[in-house]
CSV table of all heavy atoms in Angstrom, one decimal:
chain,number,residue,atom,x,y,z
F,1,MET,N,145.7,70.5,132.3
F,1,MET,CA,144.9,70.7,131.1
F,1,MET,C,143.5,70.2,131.3
F,1,MET,O,143.4,69.0,131.7
F,1,MET,CB,145.6,70.1,129.9
F,1,MET,CG,144.8,70.2,128.6
F,1,MET,SD,145.8,69.8,127.2
F,1,MET,CE,145.4,71.2,126.2
F,2,ASP,N,142.5,70.9,131.0
F,2,ASP,CA,141.2,70.5,131.2
F,2,ASP,C,140.8,69.4,130.2
F,2,ASP,O,140.0,68.5,130.6
F,2,ASP,CB,140.2,71.7,130.9
F,2,ASP,CG,140.3,72.7,132.0
F,2,ASP,OD1,140.8,72.4,133.1
F,2,ASP,OD2,139.9,73.9,131.7
F,3,ARG,N,141.3,69.4,129.0
F,3,ARG,CA,140.9,68.3,128.0
F,3,ARG,C,142.1,67.8,127.3
F,3,ARG,O,142.4,68.3,126.2
F,3,ARG,CB,139.9,68.9,127.1
F,3,ARG,CG,138.6,69.3,127.8
F,3,ARG,CD,137.4,69.7,126.9
F,3,ARG,NE,137.8,70.4,125.7
F,3,ARG,CZ,137.0,71.0,124.9
F,3,ARG,NH1,135.7,71.1,125.3
F,3,ARG,NH2,137.4,71.6,123.8
F,4,PRO,N,142.8,66.9,127.9
F,4,PRO,CA,144.0,66.4,127.4
F,4,PRO,C,143.9,65.7,126.0
F,4,PRO,O,144.8,65.6,125.2
F,4,PRO,CB,144.6,65.4,128.4
F,4,PRO,CG,143.4,65.0,129.2
F,4,PRO,CD,142.5,66.2,129.2
F,5,GLU,N,142.6,65.3,125.7
F,5,GLU,CA,142.4,64.7,124.4
F,5,GLU,C,142.6,65.7,123.2
F,5,GLU,O,142.9,65.3,122.1
F,5,GLU,CB,141.0,64.1,124.3
F,5,GLU,CG,139.8,65.1,124.3
F,5,GLU,CD,139.4,65.5,125.8
F,5,GLU,OE1,140.0,65.1,126.7
F,5,GLU,OE2,138.5,66.3,125.8
F,6,GLN,N,142.6,67.0,123.5
F,6,GLN,CA,142.9,68.0,122.5
F,6,GLN,C,144.4,67.8,122.1
F,6,GLN,O,144.7,68.0,120.9
F,6,GLN,CB,142.6,69.4,123.0
F,6,GLN,CG,141.1,69.6,123.1
F,6,GLN,CD,140.8,71.0,123.6
F,6,GLN,OE1,141.6,71.6,124.4
F,6,GLN,NE2,139.7,71.6,123.2
F,7,LEU,N,145.3,67.6,123.0
F,7,LEU,CA,146.7,67.4,122.7
F,7,LEU,C,146.8,66.1,121.9
F,7,LEU,O,147.7,66.0,121.0
F,7,LEU,CB,147.6,67.4,123.9
F,7,LEU,CG,148.0,68.7,124.4
F,7,LEU,CD1,148.9,68.5,125.7
F,7,LEU,CD2,148.7,69.5,123.4
F,8,ASP,N,146.0,65.1,122.2
F,8,ASP,CA,146.1,63.8,121.5
F,8,ASP,C,145.7,64.1,120.0
F,8,ASP,O,146.3,63.6,119.1
F,8,ASP,CB,145.1,62.8,122.1
F,8,ASP,CG,145.5,62.4,123.5
F,8,ASP,OD1,146.7,62.6,123.9
F,8,ASP,OD2,144.7,61.9,124.2
F,9,ASP,N,144.6,64.9,119.8
F,9,ASP,CA,144.2,65.3,118.4
F,9,ASP,C,145.3,66.0,117.7
F,9,ASP,O,145.6,65.7,116.5
F,9,ASP,CB,143.0,66.1,118.5
F,9,ASP,CG,141.7,65.4,119.0
F,9,ASP,OD1,141.7,64.2,119.0
F,9,ASP,OD2,140.8,66.1,119.4
F,10,LEU,N,146.0,66.9,118.4
F,10,LEU,CA,147.1,67.7,117.8
F,10,LEU,C,148.2,66.8,117.5
F,10,LEU,O,148.9,66.9,116.4
F,10,LEU,CB,147.5,68.8,118.7
F,10,LEU,CG,148.6,69.7,118.2
F,10,LEU,CD1,148.2,70.4,116.9
F,10,LEU,CD2,148.9,70.8,119.2
F,11,ALA,N,148.5,65.8,118.3
F,11,ALA,CA,149.6,64.9,118.1
F,11,ALA,C,149.4,64.1,116.8
F,11,ALA,O,150.3,63.9,116.0
F,11,ALA,CB,149.8,64.0,119.3
F,12,ARG,N,148.1,63.7,116.6
F,12,ARG,CA,147.8,62.9,115.4
F,12,ARG,C,148.0,63.8,114.1
F,12,ARG,O,148.5,63.4,113.1
F,12,ARG,CB,146.4,62.4,115.5
F,12,ARG,CG,146.3,61.1,116.4
F,12,ARG,CD,144.9,60.5,116.3
F,12,ARG,NE,143.9,61.3,116.9
F,12,ARG,CZ,143.6,61.3,118.2
F,12,ARG,NH1,144.2,60.5,119.0
F,12,ARG,NH2,142.6,62.1,118.6
F,13,LEU,N,147.6,65.1,114.2
F,13,LEU,CA,147.7,66.0,113.1
F,13,LEU,C,149.2,66.2,112.8
F,13,LEU,O,149.6,66.2,111.7
F,13,LEU,CB,147.0,67.3,113.4
F,13,LEU,CG,147.2,68.4,112.4
F,13,LEU,CD1,146.6,68.0,111.0
F,13,LEU,CD2,146.6,69.7,112.9
F,14,VAL,N,150.0,66.5,113.8
F,14,VAL,CA,151.4,66.7,113.6
F,14,VAL,C,152.1,65.5,113.0
F,14,VAL,O,152.9,65.6,112.1
F,14,VAL,CB,152.1,67.1,115.0
F,14,VAL,CG1,153.6,67.1,114.8
F,14,VAL,CG2,151.6,68.5,115.4
F,15,ALA,N,151.7,64.3,113.5
F,15,ALA,CA,152.3,63.1,112.9
F,15,ALA,C,151.9,63.0,111.4
F,15,ALA,O,152.8,62.6,110.6
F,15,ALA,CB,151.7,61.9,113.7
F,16,ARG,N,150.7,63.3,111.0
F,16,ARG,CA,150.3,63.2,109.6
F,16,ARG,C,151.1,64.2,108.8
F,16,ARG,O,151.6,63.9,107.7
F,16,ARG,CB,148.8,63.5,109.5
F,16,ARG,CG,148.0,62.3,109.8
F,16,ARG,CD,146.6,62.4,109.4
F,16,ARG,NE,145.9,63.7,109.6
F,16,ARG,CZ,145.2,64.0,110.6
F,16,ARG,NH1,144.9,63.1,111.6
F,16,ARG,NH2,144.6,65.2,110.7
F,17,ILE,N,151.3,65.4,109.3
F,17,ILE,CA,152.1,66.5,108.6
F,17,ILE,C,153.5,66.0,108.5
F,17,ILE,O,154.1,66.2,107.4
F,17,ILE,CB,151.9,67.8,109.3
F,17,ILE,CG1,150.5,68.4,109.2
F,17,ILE,CG2,152.9,68.8,108.8
F,17,ILE,CD1,150.2,69.6,110.0
F,18,GLU,N,154.1,65.6,109.6
F,18,GLU,CA,155.5,65.2,109.5
F,18,GLU,C,155.7,64.0,108.6
F,18,GLU,O,156.8,63.8,108.1
F,18,GLU,CB,156.0,64.9,110.9
F,18,GLU,CG,156.2,66.1,111.8
F,18,GLU,CD,156.7,65.9,113.2
F,18,GLU,OE1,156.5,64.8,113.7
F,18,GLU,OE2,157.3,66.8,113.7
F,19,ALA,N,154.8,63.1,108.5
F,19,ALA,CA,154.9,61.9,107.6
F,19,ALA,C,154.9,62.3,106.1
F,19,ALA,O,155.4,61.5,105.3
F,19,ALA,CB,153.8,60.9,107.9
F,20,ASP,N,154.3,63.4,105.8
F,20,ASP,CA,154.3,63.8,104.4
F,20,ASP,C,155.3,64.9,104.1
F,20,ASP,O,155.3,66.0,104.7
F,20,ASP,CB,152.9,64.4,104.1
F,20,ASP,CG,152.7,64.9,102.7
F,20,ASP,OD1,153.6,64.8,101.9
F,20,ASP,OD2,151.6,65.4,102.4
F,21,GLY,N,156.3,64.5,103.3
F,21,GLY,CA,157.4,65.4,103.1
F,21,GLY,C,157.0,66.8,102.6
F,21,GLY,O,157.6,67.8,102.9
F,22,GLU,N,156.0,66.8,101.7
F,22,GLU,CA,155.5,68.1,101.2
F,22,GLU,C,154.8,69.0,102.2
F,22,GLU,O,155.0,70.2,102.3
F,22,GLU,CB,154.5,67.8,100.0
F,22,GLU,CG,155.1,67.5,98.7
F,22,GLU,CD,155.9,68.6,98.1
F,22,GLU,OE1,155.4,69.8,98.0
F,22,GLU,OE2,157.1,68.4,97.8
F,23,SER,N,154.0,68.3,103.1
F,23,SER,CA,153.3,69.1,104.1
F,23,SER,C,154.3,69.6,105.2
F,23,SER,O,153.9,70.6,105.9
F,23,SER,CB,152.2,68.2,104.8
F,23,SER,OG,151.3,67.9,103.8
F,24,ARG,N,155.4,68.9,105.4
F,24,ARG,CA,156.3,69.3,106.4
F,24,ARG,C,156.7,70.8,106.3
F,24,ARG,O,157.0,71.4,107.3
F,24,ARG,CB,157.6,68.4,106.3
F,24,ARG,CG,158.1,68.0,107.6
F,24,ARG,CD,159.2,67.0,107.4
F,24,ARG,NE,159.0,66.1,108.5
F,24,ARG,CZ,159.9,65.4,109.0
F,24,ARG,NH1,161.0,65.3,108.4
F,24,ARG,NH2,159.7,64.6,110.0
F,25,ARG,N,156.8,71.3,105.1
F,25,ARG,CA,157.2,72.7,104.9
F,25,ARG,C,156.1,73.7,105.6
F,25,ARG,O,156.4,74.8,105.7
F,25,ARG,CB,157.4,73.0,103.5
F,25,ARG,CG,156.1,72.9,102.6
F,25,ARG,CD,156.4,73.1,101.1
F,25,ARG,NE,155.3,72.8,100.3
F,25,ARG,CZ,154.2,73.6,100.2
F,25,ARG,NH1,154.2,74.8,100.8
F,25,ARG,NH2,153.2,73.2,99.4
F,26,LEU,N,155.0,73.2,105.9
F,26,LEU,CA,154.0,74.0,106.6
F,26,LEU,C,154.3,74.3,108.0
F,26,LEU,O,153.8,75.3,108.6
F,26,LEU,CB,152.6,73.3,106.5
F,26,LEU,CG,152.0,73.0,105.2
F,26,LEU,CD1,150.7,72.2,105.3
F,26,LEU,CD2,151.7,74.3,104.4
F,27,LEU,N,155.2,73.5,108.6
F,27,LEU,CA,155.5,73.7,110.0
F,27,LEU,C,156.7,74.8,110.1
F,27,LEU,O,157.6,74.8,109.3
F,27,LEU,CB,156.0,72.4,110.6
F,27,LEU,CG,155.0,71.3,110.7
F,27,LEU,CD1,155.7,70.0,111.2
F,27,LEU,CD2,153.8,71.7,111.5
F,28,PRO,N,156.5,75.7,111.0
F,28,PRO,CA,157.6,76.8,111.1
F,28,PRO,C,158.9,76.2,111.6
F,28,PRO,O,158.9,75.1,112.2
F,28,PRO,CB,157.0,77.8,112.1
F,28,PRO,CG,156.0,77.0,112.9
F,28,PRO,CD,155.5,75.9,112.0
F,29,PRO,N,160.0,76.9,111.3
F,29,PRO,CA,161.3,76.4,111.8
F,29,PRO,C,161.3,76.3,113.3
F,29,PRO,O,160.7,77.1,114.0
F,29,PRO,CB,162.2,77.6,111.4
F,29,PRO,CG,161.6,78.3,110.2
F,29,PRO,CD,160.1,78.1,110.5
F,30,GLY,N,161.8,75.2,113.8
F,30,GLY,CA,161.9,75.0,115.2
F,30,GLY,C,160.7,74.3,115.8
F,30,GLY,O,160.7,73.9,117.0
F,31,PHE,N,159.6,74.1,115.0
F,31,PHE,CA,158.4,73.5,115.5
F,31,PHE,C,158.6,72.1,116.0
F,31,PHE,O,158.2,71.7,117.1
F,31,PHE,CB,157.3,73.6,114.5
F,31,PHE,CG,156.0,72.9,115.0
F,31,PHE,CD1,155.1,73.7,115.8
F,31,PHE,CD2,155.7,71.6,114.8
F,31,PHE,CE1,154.0,73.1,116.3
F,31,PHE,CE2,154.6,71.0,115.3
F,31,PHE,CZ,153.7,71.7,116.0
F,32,THR,N,159.3,71.3,115.2
F,32,THR,CA,159.5,69.9,115.5
F,32,THR,C,160.2,69.7,116.9
F,32,THR,O,159.8,68.9,117.7
F,32,THR,CB,160.3,69.2,114.4
F,32,THR,OG1,159.5,69.3,113.2
F,32,THR,CG2,160.5,67.7,114.7
F,33,GLU,N,161.2,70.5,117.1
F,33,GLU,CA,162.0,70.5,118.4
F,33,GLU,C,161.0,70.8,119.5
F,33,GLU,O,161.0,70.2,120.6
F,33,GLU,CB,163.2,71.3,118.4
F,33,GLU,CG,164.3,70.9,117.4
F,33,GLU,CD,164.0,71.2,115.9
F,33,GLU,OE1,163.1,72.0,115.6
F,33,GLU,OE2,164.7,70.7,115.1
F,34,LEU,N,160.3,71.9,119.4
F,34,LEU,CA,159.3,72.3,120.4
F,34,LEU,C,158.3,71.3,120.6
F,34,LEU,O,157.9,70.9,121.8
F,34,LEU,CB,158.7,73.7,120.0
F,34,LEU,CG,157.6,74.2,121.0
F,34,LEU,CD1,158.2,74.4,122.4
F,34,LEU,CD2,157.0,75.4,120.4
F,35,TRP,N,157.7,70.7,119.6
F,35,TRP,CA,156.7,69.7,119.7
F,35,TRP,C,157.2,68.5,120.4
F,35,TRP,O,156.5,67.9,121.2
F,35,TRP,CB,156.1,69.3,118.3
F,35,TRP,CG,155.1,68.2,118.5
F,35,TRP,CD1,155.2,66.9,118.1
F,35,TRP,CD2,153.8,68.4,119.1
F,35,TRP,NE1,154.1,66.2,118.5
F,35,TRP,CE2,153.2,67.1,119.1
F,35,TRP,CE3,153.2,69.4,119.7
F,35,TRP,CZ2,152.0,66.9,119.7
F,35,TRP,CZ3,151.9,69.2,120.3
F,35,TRP,CH2,151.3,68.0,120.2
F,36,ARG,N,158.4,68.1,120.2
F,36,ARG,CA,159.0,66.9,120.9
F,36,ARG,C,158.9,67.1,122.4
F,36,ARG,O,158.6,66.2,123.2
F,36,ARG,CB,160.4,66.7,120.5
F,36,ARG,CG,160.6,66.3,119.1
F,36,ARG,CD,160.0,64.9,118.8
F,36,ARG,NE,159.9,64.7,117.3
F,36,ARG,CZ,158.8,64.7,116.6
F,36,ARG,NH1,157.7,64.7,117.2
F,36,ARG,NH2,158.8,64.5,115.3
F,37,VAL,N,159.2,68.3,122.9
F,37,VAL,CA,159.2,68.6,124.3
F,37,VAL,C,157.7,68.5,124.8
F,37,VAL,O,157.4,67.9,125.9
F,37,VAL,CB,159.8,70.0,124.6
F,37,VAL,CG1,159.6,70.4,126.1
F,37,VAL,CG2,161.3,70.0,124.3
F,38,ILE,N,156.8,69.1,124.1
F,38,ILE,CA,155.4,69.1,124.5
F,38,ILE,C,154.9,67.6,124.5
F,38,ILE,O,154.2,67.2,125.4
F,38,ILE,CB,154.6,69.9,123.5
F,38,ILE,CG1,154.9,71.4,123.7
F,38,ILE,CG2,153.1,69.7,123.7
F,38,ILE,CD1,154.4,72.3,122.6
F,39,ASP,N,155.3,66.9,123.4
F,39,ASP,CA,154.8,65.5,123.3
F,39,ASP,C,155.4,64.6,124.5
F,39,ASP,O,154.6,63.8,125.0
F,39,ASP,CB,155.3,64.9,122.0
F,39,ASP,CG,154.5,63.7,121.5
F,39,ASP,OD1,153.3,63.7,121.8
F,39,ASP,OD2,155.0,62.8,120.9
F,40,GLN,N,156.6,64.8,124.9
F,40,GLN,CA,157.1,64.1,126.0
F,40,GLN,C,156.4,64.4,127.3
F,40,GLN,O,156.1,63.5,128.1
F,40,GLN,CB,158.6,64.4,126.2
F,40,GLN,CG,159.5,63.8,125.1
F,40,GLN,CD,160.9,64.3,125.2
F,40,GLN,OE1,161.3,65.2,126.0
F,40,GLN,NE2,161.8,63.8,124.3
F,41,ALA,N,156.0,65.7,127.5
F,41,ALA,CA,155.3,66.1,128.7
F,41,ALA,C,153.9,65.5,128.6
F,41,ALA,O,153.3,65.0,129.6
F,41,ALA,CB,155.2,67.6,128.7
F,42,ARG,N,153.3,65.4,127.4
F,42,ARG,CA,152.0,64.8,127.2
F,42,ARG,C,152.0,63.3,127.6
F,42,ARG,O,151.1,62.8,128.3
F,42,ARG,CB,151.5,65.0,125.8
F,42,ARG,CG,150.2,64.4,125.4
F,42,ARG,CD,149.8,64.6,124.0
F,42,ARG,NE,150.6,63.8,123.1
F,42,ARG,CZ,150.3,62.6,122.6
F,42,ARG,NH1,149.2,62.1,123.0
F,42,ARG,NH2,151.1,62.0,121.8
F,43,ASP,N,153.0,62.6,127.1
F,43,ASP,CA,153.2,61.2,127.4
F,43,ASP,C,153.4,61.0,129.0
F,43,ASP,O,152.7,60.1,129.5
F,43,ASP,CB,154.4,60.6,126.7
F,43,ASP,CG,154.1,60.5,125.2
F,43,ASP,OD1,153.0,60.5,124.8
F,43,ASP,OD2,155.1,60.3,124.5
F,44,ALA,N,154.2,61.8,129.6
F,44,ALA,CA,154.4,61.7,131.0
F,44,ALA,C,153.1,62.0,131.8
F,44,ALA,O,152.9,61.3,132.8
F,44,ALA,CB,155.5,62.7,131.5
F,45,SER,N,152.4,62.9,131.4
F,45,SER,CA,151.1,63.3,132.0
F,45,SER,C,150.1,62.1,131.9
F,45,SER,O,149.4,61.7,132.9
F,45,SER,CB,150.5,64.5,131.4
F,45,SER,OG,149.3,64.8,132.0
F,46,ALA,N,150.1,61.5,130.7
F,46,ALA,CA,149.1,60.4,130.5
F,46,ALA,C,149.5,59.2,131.3
F,46,ALA,O,148.6,58.6,131.9
F,46,ALA,CB,149.2,60.0,129.0
F,47,GLU,N,150.8,59.0,131.5
F,47,GLU,CA,151.3,57.9,132.3
F,47,GLU,C,150.9,58.1,133.8
F,47,GLU,O,150.5,57.2,134.5
F,47,GLU,CB,152.8,57.7,132.2
F,47,GLU,CG,153.2,57.1,130.8
F,47,GLU,CD,154.6,57.0,130.7
F,47,GLU,OE1,155.4,57.1,131.6
F,47,GLU,OE2,155.1,56.7,129.5
F,48,ALA,N,151.1,59.4,134.2
F,48,ALA,CA,150.8,59.7,135.6
F,48,ALA,C,149.3,59.5,136.0
F,48,ALA,O,149.1,59.2,137.1
F,48,ALA,CB,151.2,61.2,135.9
F,49,VAL,N,148.4,59.8,135.0
F,49,VAL,CA,147.0,59.6,135.4
F,49,VAL,C,146.5,58.3,134.9
F,49,VAL,O,145.3,58.0,135.0
F,49,VAL,CB,146.2,60.8,134.8
F,49,VAL,CG1,146.6,62.1,135.4
F,49,VAL,CG2,146.3,60.9,133.3
F,50,GLY,N,147.3,57.5,134.3
F,50,GLY,CA,146.9,56.1,133.9
F,50,GLY,C,146.1,56.1,132.6
F,50,GLY,O,145.2,55.2,132.5
F,51,ARG,N,146.4,57.0,131.7
F,51,ARG,CA,145.6,57.0,130.4
F,51,ARG,C,146.3,56.1,129.4
F,51,ARG,O,147.5,55.9,129.4
F,51,ARG,CB,145.6,58.4,129.8
F,51,ARG,CG,144.6,59.2,130.4
F,51,ARG,CD,144.3,60.5,129.7
F,51,ARG,NE,145.4,60.8,128.8
F,51,ARG,CZ,145.4,61.6,127.7
F,51,ARG,NH1,144.3,62.2,127.5
F,51,ARG,NH2,146.4,61.8,127.0
């Protein structure tokens, strides 16, 4: 990814949405499960490059 900080921004947004019970309904079915996989890959990538 050219700009991994974009995923960091998205991670913060998803966390805010998931923290608010009302906003959670904005996420499509299955999004949370998919996001967990993406977030794990993001974490692994950050560790690999020392971020």
Side-chain angles (χ1 to χ4, degrees):
M1 173 168 229
D2 292 339
R3 297 187 326 192
E5 66 276 1
Q6 289 178 331
L7 276 180
D8 296 339
D9 293 341
L10 183 56
R12 285 187 290 273
L13 174 62
V14 169
R16 284 194 314 265
I17 290 172
E18 288 181 335
D20 180 0
E22 281 296 308
S23 295
R24 220 171 216 202
R25 63 185 172 78
L26 298 172
L27 299 174
F31 178 85
T32 300
E33 292 79 11
L34 175 61
W35 177 251
R36 295 293 167 247
V37 173
I38 294 168
D39 201 34
Q40 289 172 354
R42 179 180 70 92
D43 289 344
S45 176
E47 288 176 12
V49 296
R51 284 189 342 159

